[in-house]
Amino acid sequence: MSIHYILALNRQGKVRISKWFDRKISLDEQFQVRQKIHRLILSRDHKNQSNFVEFEKKKLVYRRYAGLFFCMCIDMDDGELMYLESIHLLVEVLDQYFNNVCELDLVFSFYKVYAVIDEMFMSGEIEETSKAVVLDRVDQVMAYN
Amino acid sequence: MNRVIIVGQKKTAKIALLRSLFEGVTERSDGDDNSGLILSNVPLSTRYYSCNLDFMVDEYDDSKEWEDWCEEILSVEALELREAINGIIFIFDFSSKSILQDLTKLSKVYDQIEQDFLLRNKDSIQWEGIKLAVGFSRSPVAQQLLDEVYDASLEKGIELVDLSIASQENAYGEATGIRRVKEILETCSWPDVVKLR
């Protein structure tokens, strides 16, 4: 498995996106992981330290956007730069879809956010990297609602 | 009902904070005795919803009274109050000598509220209420003190907003100061809202 989970946390440690691909992680462990990641990432020096950190025998790849920390957990032998770029692509797609996305959109239009994630990532793998294709598919899905 | 407790030592700009967040809040000032004051139906609206907030203002004189306040709100008798509120905003002066101890007591209150919430709502992953500490200062604050307070609040899962700096944006282009407090209020999942189309 490549991506074990995708999380987006705000500065208070509140979870705004939580997508778990690894079914071996129980609900209690998920709760622990969120708290540990919040403390780990917010205590880092984001200007002088890298976007990659070892976490529980895996790697955390994270990036900060407007007070939100988007994190992906990947295996130790996975290429972190690729996943760093996929986080950026995800944020760009959300930004285009919501026309200047902010935390409010993640909270109150969470179903649209997860529709975007489901188009881009499947079973822990990157499925689609074309912004136009993702946006087109999400529009089609939302049209059914 | 959407209820927030705003608590701090006497003369710590609680009313001034509310006035800068919301227009026409009150004619009271921080010089008055505001303990027990309730500001009802303060309107808040975003592009997704509109709602009214009730702010319950409380004050204490010194660290001992703060400890008593925390003990009271942690008691079994205060369970109903803990269940009813949607957040606590703690306001402090950076010149206070007991900030770190005060934050520790505050974090115990937040932990208890979250624990009570998760017991009642087994499907939830977190309490959506506001865990916010707002610091201000009438004189420049030493960087070391700022770092210590920031680290302490981070460790306890409390967001710290520093009103002592004039800038409304940090080095990452994120909102700080009053703008950040407003953002936190807007992104809270209030239980009683009118959703907008």
Side-chain angles (χ1 to χ4, degrees), chain B residues 141-155:
Chain B
V141 184
Q143 189 60 43
Q144 191 190 348
L145 173 64
L146 270 174
D147 291 342
E148 270 177 28
V149 176
Y150 178 76
D151 288 342
S153 55
L154 171 68
E155 200 186 323

Side-chain angles (χ1 to χ4, degrees), chain B residues 1-6 38-40 51-56 80-89 127 129-130 185 188 190-192:
Chain B
M1 296 300 293
N2 309 313
R3 298 184 182 96
V4 180
I5 293 178
I6 180 163
I38 298 178
L39 302 170
S40 303
C51 68
N52 289 323
L53 308 180
D54 290 348
F55 287 98
M56 300 185 287
E80 231 176 279
L81 171 64
R82 292 198 300 273
E83 287 175 0
I85 57 173
N86 305 111
I88 300 177
I89 300 175
W127 178 58
I130 294 171
L185 291 171
C188 181
W190 302 107
D192 187 14

Side-chain angles (χ1 to χ4, degrees), chain A residues 63-112:
Chain A
R63 205 154 173 175
R64 181 177 186 155
Y65 295 92
L68 283 168
F69 296 86
F70 286 76
C71 315
M72 267 186 196
C73 178
I74 59 176
D75 289 323
M76 287 301 288
D77 47 8
D78 283 325
E80 55 267 11
L81 289 171
M82 179 176 79
Y83 292 99
L84 186 65
E85 279 310 303
S86 69
I87 291 177
H88 187 67
L89 179 65
L90 169 63
V91 172
E92 277 194 339
V93 170
L94 290 174
D95 198 40
Q96 198 166 329
Y97 186 75
F98 287 103
N99 197 19
N100 203 13
V101 69
C102 62
E103 192 176 342
L104 215 51
D105 298 313
L106 300 193
V107 176
F108 293 98
S109 293
F110 60 91
Y111 55 99
K112 295 181 184 176

